[in-house]
Amino acid sequence: MTRKNREERETKREKKKKGGWAIAVHGGAGVDPNLPQQRQEEAKQLLTRCLNLGISALRSNLSAIDVVELVVRELETDPLFNSGRGSALTAKGTAEMEASIMDGHGRRCGAVSGLTTVKNPVSLARLVMDKSPHSYLAFSGAEEFARQQGVEVVDNEYFITEENVGMLKLAKEANAIVFDYRVPAVGLETCGAVAESPIMMNGLPISVYAPETVGCVVVDSQGRCAAATSTGWLMNKMSGRIGDSPMIGAGTYACNICGVSCTGEGEAIIRGTLAREVAAVMEYKGLGLQEAVDFVIKERLDEGKAGLIAVSNKGEVACGFNSTGMFRGSASEDGFMEVGIWD
Amino acid sequence: MGWAIALQGGAGDIPRTLPAERRETREAALRHFLAIGVDALKAKKSPLDVVELVVRELENNPHFNAGRGSVLTSEGTVEMEASIMDGNTKRCGAVSGLTTVVNPISLARLVMEKTPHIYLAFDGAEKFAREQGVETVDSSHFITPQNIERLQQAIEANAVQLDYTQPIQKDVKKETPNTDSDSQIGTVGCVAVDNDGNLAAATSTGGFVNKMVGRIGDTPIIGAGTYANNLVAVSATGKGEAIIRGTVARDVAALMEFKGLSLKEAAAYVVEESVPRGNVGLVAVSAKGEVTMALNTTGMYRACATEDGYSEIAIWPSVQN
């Protein structure tokens, strides 16, 4: 073959290695080790279904921002995880949801909090980004905007599942009683102590704690990154509490080199500006994606428990967590695909 | 090492033709609050206490866009937000959507110290305020005639005045006799470091003239409007949307930490490279007792002082620096 042909072929191969789309989804960090096998299977099936949805969209050349939105909509609509339908409940027994979305291309972003009737919070966040002069709308102002935009709204009851009503009751009891005989004893994580201390997250024993969020990160075949996160947040929370999910830089971040979505203990994620941190160490320290993810999980969480998923503009995908498990799935154009819960 | 403090009263399109008396009122206020902050540092108050008390003063002063004197939403109401962060522990507190709390920054501090949460907003925050017994008043207390007028003008101009990014011209676009034409002013904030290198930052605002009800800006977003760790404390002001996407406060710290830039270099980089012209100003102090005040807007009300005797009160960019 001629030299020109050889060079062309090598350039093509290099492009293929460097680029390509990639996608990751998560359904929350911090999973009860005693979660029934059936539940684990259901979760994995949902994650697989969402990945496949995203993959089809990517193959049809949808942009990253469109793909993260449609995948998170799917996660919100399914009652299994804590967002949209199936959201954890406030102390009053209602659902109060928040979400954010960010387009790495131009670093445009949108966020919403305090939603009670909007069927798909992530889509309202997108409208805030695209159709409003602001980046973040909350409570009655957000609900008003939703109506102006004509998005689908429903009664708050739609979001409430029987299972979560039961969990709320347990959470209220757990908040009153520190150690509950119903909580399974786990000795693994806690420095070999006698098996009375349950794994705790966000102040609740893990059997009662609902992993908080769902999220999706995507890099499309043009190398554009995007990220989105959505949640009902914390079981038994006070109305008016805002967590990390709608906070750009904390729960969600995307720029031209990566897209990140986090989940776990909100306080730790906010203080650590976790999502932005991954991008910052890549940008300012020159770390690669997995290195950056590992660094952030290891060094930036102090005593907090959290996890995150991330993609880079080079078509890489990575995840990391220091919690007990994280519902997650990832796939990339070179055929890689994986869904998991534990380490 | 030594203590250092800086405070800001908002960055934006402050025309150099600002009427003398309006300029003097604000400069006097900045001077006064700087002195209060310096005295507190000399009296060995913690930086967290210092930034809170200085921001309270700025909130109480009706000439700045925070607390009393907050700009109005599209409905003519006041919705205030604030955040505070302690550099050593990185604990933080934030509030949004306040309508009756006299000092939002103090409520933010209570959220940080009295709850396991970081951020409370709207009804939930107001409820918490009552539970904590903080001072609340009828929301008319916060509304000033100047702000009613600003809102009127903004509505007439039929725009949420988003855009500070008019090219920097010498002439002023809209000069009306009755206002200061400084309607774009963003926030108030304070950063401080003591002799031992403890850092804190606090920021407070009424937000954006004619903003949509429920709009949250950069001020309560940790990493955007406010940030402090064991290297630096930052408070930013300007166009909220740009500060959020630029994660401004966190970026100053990240550049110092990961790229080894100095305080001045990091602040300059962020305002010159990371955020479009006309959108941001910030004040920052480092653990070493250095101070910097950087802006890419026409002006920023600001003041700073360090233990070695340096002090500055300014509105427009300094010639040297």
Side-chain angles (χ1 to χ4, degrees):
Chain A
M1 94 172 52
T2 65
R3 185 172 164 196
K4 182 163 183 270
N5 284 353
R6 199 175 334 136
E7 277 175 346
E8 269 175 9
R9 204 170 79 169
E10 271 166 3
T11 317
K12 260 196 207 145
R13 201 179 293 141
E14 230 180 4
K15 264 201 192 136
K16 205 163 169 223
K17 208 174 17 159
K18 268 200 182 144
W21 51 257
I23 175 173
V25 295
H26 73 74
V31 187
D32 182 1
N34 294 297
L35 191 68
Q37 198 56 36
Q38 196 206 5
R39 277 296 293 259
Q40 297 189 36
E41 280 316 305
E42 280 170 8
K44 294 205 311 211
Q45 277 167 30
L46 175 57
L47 291 166
T48 306
R49 199 174 84 230
C50 289
L51 272 184
N52 284 326
L53 198 64
I55 292 169
S56 300
L58 282 163
R59 289 192 176 134
S60 324
N61 273 319
L62 243 58
S63 66
I65 190 77
D66 288 334
V67 179
V68 297
E69 185 191 353
L70 80 92
V71 170
V72 172
R73 282 177 67 94
E74 185 66 25
L75 288 160
E76 284 170 342
T77 307
D78 193 295
L80 190 69
F81 291 130
N82 175 6
S83 69
R85 186 144 183 270
S87 281
L89 305 177
T90 66
K92 297 184 297 192
T94 57
E96 203 172 272
M97 304 163 288
E98 45 198 21
S100 63
I101 190 168
M102 191 159 186
D103 186 359
H105 183 65
R107 287 181 300 162
R108 295 178 320 131
C109 44
V112 286
S113 281
L115 301 183
T116 50
T117 68
V118 175
K119 190 148 179 257
N120 286 102
V122 72
S123 294
L124 192 68
R126 173 124 194 224
L127 286 169
V128 170
M129 176 174 84
D130 288 342
K131 297 278 165 72
S132 90
H134 303 316
S135 293
Y136 190 2
L137 287 179
F139 293 90
S140 60
E143 289 276 329
E144 172 65 32
F145 179 68
R147 273 145 192 75
Q148 283 169 17
Q149 292 293 314
V151 302
E152 200 178 348
V153 296
V154 291
D155 277 337
N156 198 254
E157 278 80 55
Y158 163 84
F159 305 103
I160 300 173
T161 59
E162 225 177 88
E163 186 180 335
N164 280 328
V165 171
M167 289 293 245
L168 177 62
K169 202 154 168 287
L170 284 181
K172 283 183 187 283
E173 283 163 20
N175 274 333
I177 309 161
V178 178
F179 295 117
D180 183 348
Y181 74 93
R182 279 171 294 178
V183 171
V186 188
L188 314 148
E189 262 63 26
T190 61
C191 34
V194 182
E196 240 120 40
S197 359
I199 297 173
M200 303 284 282
M201 257 184 88
N202 267 310
L204 288 174
I206 202 151
S207 58
V208 173
Y209 168 79
E212 323 172 316
T213 15
V214 298
C216 179
V217 293
V218 164
V219 55
D220 61 27
S221 37
Q222 319 296 325
R224 289 172 307 208
C225 299
T229 315
S230 176
T231 188
W233 210 43
L234 223 45
M235 195 64 81
N236 201 25
K237 70 179 180 184
M238 258 176 82
S239 175
R241 272 178 74 166
I242 293 180
D244 60 295
S245 299
M247 257 198 219
I248 297 298
T252 302
Y253 188 76
C255 59
N256 57 5
I257 55 173
C258 67
V260 186
S261 170
C262 305
T263 164
E265 297 192 300
E267 223 222 335
I269 294 171
I270 292 173
R271 288 166 53 205
T273 54
L274 224 65
R276 173 64 184 121
E277 206 71 354
V278 174
V281 295
M282 289 179 74
E283 218 177 322
Y284 301 143
K285 263 176 92 138
L287 296 194
L289 185 72
Q290 188 69 59
E291 277 185 287
V293 169
D294 292 341
F295 172 84
V296 168
I297 294 290
K298 188 151 174 274
E299 306 289 336
R300 290 296 127 140
L301 279 173
D302 299 336
E303 298 108 37
K305 298 266 181 256
L308 61 92
I309 53 175
V311 288
S312 76
N313 63 349
K314 296 196 202 146
E316 303 159 298
V317 62
C319 72
F321 54 95
N322 69 353
S323 51
T324 317
M326 176 169 78
F327 293 111
R328 69 208 183 270
S330 51
S332 50
E333 189 165 11
D334 59 9
F336 168 77
M337 178 147 161
E338 186 180 82
V339 166
I341 302 178
W342 313 110
D343 248 310
Chain B
M1 247 161 64
W3 55 255
I5 177 172
L7 56 113
Q8 50 95 349
D13 191 17
I14 310 170
R16 289 185 190 257
T17 50
L18 187 70
E21 72 168 39
R22 293 198 190 271
R23 196 190 67 221
E24 280 155 19
T25 315
R26 284 164 178 76
E27 279 172 351
L30 292 169
R31 188 168 298 119
H32 181 52
F33 304 148
L34 182 68
I36 290 177
V38 167
D39 286 345
L41 279 168
K42 285 179 173 162
K44 304 281 185 205
K45 280 200 137 44
S46 74
L48 199 61
D49 286 339
V50 174
V51 300
E52 184 192 356
L53 76 92
V54 171
V55 170
R56 283 175 67 97
E57 293 287 336
L58 287 156
E59 286 171 340
N60 294 340
N61 187 297
H63 296 297
F64 298 106
N65 177 14
R68 186 146 184 268
S70 283
V71 298
L72 307 178
T73 69
S74 57
E75 315 260 306
T77 55
V78 151
E79 276 178 12
M80 301 170 291
E81 44 196 23
S83 65
I84 189 166
M85 190 161 185
D86 173 39
N88 279 341
T89 57
K90 291 204 290 201
R91 285 182 321 149
C92 34
V95 287
S96 280
L98 299 182
T99 51
T100 68
V101 175
V102 174
N103 289 105
I105 194 64
S106 296
L107 192 69
R109 184 159 181 189
L110 287 169
V111 172
M112 176 175 86
E113 291 179 339
K114 296 282 165 74
T115 76
H117 321 316
I118 287 189
Y119 192 4
L120 283 181
F122 292 89
D123 291 348
E126 289 277 325
K127 180 160 174 263
F128 176 67
R130 275 147 192 74
E131 282 165 13
Q132 292 293 311
V134 301
E135 199 184 347
T136 57
V137 291
D138 186 80
S139 48
S140 54
H141 159 89
F142 305 100
I143 299 176
T144 60
Q146 290 85 3
N147 279 311
I148 294 177
E149 188 143 6
R150 283 193 182 118
L151 177 62
Q152 206 43 49
Q153 290 184 333
I155 290 175
E156 277 159 25
N158 193 30
V160 171
Q161 301 287 343
L162 285 186
D163 200 24
Y164 294 104
T165 59
Q166 320 306 336
I168 309 290
Q169 311 277 357
K170 292 297 171 196
D171 53 1
V172 175
K173 290 148 281 322
K174 32 167 188 30
E175 171 101 38
T176 53
N178 290 337
T179 71
D180 355 340
S181 304
D182 61 349
S183 52
Q184 314 302 341
I185 306 314
T187 14
V188 303
C190 182
V191 290
V193 60
D194 64 17
N195 270 323
D196 298 318
N198 298 310
L199 291 143
T203 318
S204 178
T205 188
F208 225 83
V209 177
N210 200 23
K211 66 180 179 180
M212 286 171 71
V213 166
R215 177 262 188 187
I216 292 177
D218 64 293
T219 296
I221 308 289
I222 299 298
T226 302
Y227 188 76
N229 60 10
N230 54 10
L231 281 182
V232 65
V234 186
S235 169
T237 168
K239 183 190 157 198
E241 284 70 17
I243 295 171
I244 289 175
R245 65 151 65 106
T247 54
V248 168
R250 175 67 188 114
D251 255 38
V252 174
L255 284 161
M256 290 175 70
E257 189 177 350
F258 299 134
K259 254 191 140 146
L261 297 194
S262 70
L263 179 71
K264 249 189 181 34
E265 288 170 333
Y269 184 92
V270 171
V271 306
E272 281 158 30
E273 311 286 335
S274 305
V275 183
R277 209 143 204 28
N279 279 273
V280 71
L282 63 93
V283 294
V285 290
S286 72
K288 294 192 224 161
E290 305 158 302
V291 68
T292 187
M293 306 191 291
L295 55 148
N296 71 12
T297 48
T298 313
M300 173 171 75
Y301 294 114
R302 62 197 187 279
C304 70
T306 56
E307 188 165 12
D308 62 11
Y310 175 74
S311 85
E312 185 187 335
I313 296 177
I315 300 178
W316 294 285
S318 2
V319 174
Q320 84 276 46
N321 197 82

